[in-house]
Amino acid sequence: MTDLPRFPLAVLPTPLVGAPRLERALGCGPLLVKRDDLIGFGAAGNKTRPLEYLLGAARAQGADVLVTGGGPGSNFCPAAALAARAAGLDCELVVWGDPAGAPNLALAVAAGATLRPTGGTDRAAVDELVAKRAAALAGEGRQPYAVPRGGSTDLGAVGFARAAAELAEQLRALAARPAAIVLPVGSGGSVAGLLAGLAPVLPEVPVVGVSVSRPLGEVGRHVLDLAGGCARLLGGPAPRPGQLRLVDGRGAGFGTASPQERDRARLALHTEGYLLDTTYGAEAFAVAADLALERPDGPVVWWHTGGQIPAAASLLATSLTAGPIAAGAPTGEEGP
Ligand SMILES: Cc1ncc(COP(=O)(O)O)c(C=O)c1O
């Protein structure tokens, strides 16, 4: 769809599947699940898509180190660390907050990334510090490629524009016309790329973005700017702002899911085996379920964007603290 350099990481297309047990348990209309959790690269989920284009550009420019960043719960950081390794680059991560005990950052370090903690909790400061760190590395004779948090640039969004074409093809094969496409929105690159990529193929399908970190006014402007920039890079039609509907999924704050969101995530785990994190997945799935409960005309496409590392880590922590199921109860047959 574009001549832009791409460093392939993902196994595409990711499956688009039904979720009959989950539908029955919820008593809702049809759901189609776009399984970017099965994207086939590390546990990088949807973030694999922007990284293909960002690393394509980095390699085309002869970069030898990827500089980016995020917070303790960032899924982009480990994804970037793994992708940099796969592309033969070093990786430095500027991180806000406390990295101690964060499974995502532990994975990034295990993959060889160097963490540069900011020492503060200001998320927005990270992008500036990423640029500063890249300048310092250039001063030392390195060839850095700097990427803002989440990989959400016009170029990074091209990865999700490609995903829009992928989804359109899958929907065509199923002869399905969805009532809506629902996905979580953090730094905004995924939904922006989706809007840019849908503009030429499915401009009528509502895209519901569940904002997990920013107020709706701010995120709306940011997403539409990115979507416009991405469409210009692709030379495609301008995205339609009316196609985007934003829902505030922040609840009690970034990274926290409400009891109802957690219940629905548990249902998705128990019926279909989906691992949903409490920052992105649980929030977006709850909105997708609400829409499907209205039984609209057509299936609701819920984009499962990944986040399995924090999801698994929190489930494991819970089950480990829960103790034995029934201490002293008969255990059935003895093992060998
Ligand atoms: C699992 C998961 N889903 C969704 C998102 C949101 O994507 P974006 O930052 O492109 O809005 C992220 C962002 O890191 C993520 O990790």
Side-chain angles (χ1 to χ4, degrees):
M1 77 181 280
T2 154
D3 295 337
L4 293 164
R6 169 174 172 252
F7 182 73
L9 295 164
V11 180
L12 300 176
T14 57
L16 179 70
V17 296
R21 286 165 297 277
L22 183 51
E23 281 164 18
R24 269 198 300 279
L26 279 167
C28 69
L31 284 166
L32 285 173
V33 187
K34 181 66 173 153
R35 296 210 55 188
D36 270 14
D37 58 322
L38 301 181
I39 206 155
F41 179 70
N46 65 326
K47 289 297 167 181
T48 311
R49 297 184 184 273
L51 282 163
E52 292 196 325
Y53 286 95
L54 296 167
L55 282 163
R59 280 165 55 95
Q61 290 172 24
D64 60 11
V65 52
L66 179 70
V67 188
T68 185
S74 165
N75 293 308
F76 182 68
C77 284
L82 290 166
R85 278 305 191 216
L89 275 69
D90 290 333
C91 181
E92 290 207 8
L93 298 170
V94 175
V95 291
W96 61 265
D98 182 6
N104 278 337
L105 296 182
L107 173 56
V109 171
T114 305
L115 301 188
R116 305 267 172 211
T118 65
T121 54
D122 182 0
R123 279 186 258 162
V126 166
D127 292 346
E128 203 179 306
L129 292 170
V130 164
K132 270 194 184 154
R133 181 62 197 149
L137 284 164
E140 295 166 15
R142 300 293 304 269
Q143 304 291 327
Y145 186 83
V147 169
R149 282 171 299 151
S152 290
T153 62
D154 295 353
L155 180 63
V158 170
F160 243 77
R162 188 186 172 95
E166 184 183 304
L167 175 69
E169 187 53 46
Q170 290 172 315
L171 290 169
R172 222 184 341 267
L174 294 173
R177 181 137 196 104
I181 303 169
V182 183
L183 77 170
V185 178
S187 55
S190 305
V191 69
L194 189 61
L195 289 171
L198 288 176
V201 286
L202 283 174
E204 306 302 333
V205 178
V207 172
V208 179
V210 182
S211 179
V212 301
S213 57
R214 303 181 201 204
L216 297 191
E218 182 188 327
V219 82
R221 283 187 297 278
H222 176 64
V223 165
L224 293 174
D225 276 359
L226 276 174
C230 175
R232 281 190 292 280
L233 269 182
L234 292 170
R240 291 178 48 241
Q243 189 168 10
L244 176 65
R245 201 185 115 204
L246 288 169
V247 174
D248 196 335
R250 289 174 300 163
F254 182 60
T256 56
S258 69
Q260 197 208 23
E261 289 164 347
R262 282 173 187 272
D263 283 350
R264 290 206 166 149
R266 205 170 300 121
L267 206 57
L269 176 65
H270 287 187
T271 55
E272 304 282 353
Y274 296 149
L275 279 170
L276 297 184
D277 70 342
T278 54
T279 305
Y280 300 98
E283 284 82 343
F285 175 62
V287 172
D290 278 344
L291 284 174
L293 279 163
E294 289 170 14
R295 296 191 168 270
D297 197 12
V300 171
V301 174
W302 162 51
W303 212 297
H304 186 343
T305 49
Q308 305 98 299
I309 300 169
S314 82
L315 286 169
L316 289 173
T318 318
S319 54
L320 288 175
T321 52
I325 292 171
T331 55
E333 275 181 34
E334 290 302 319

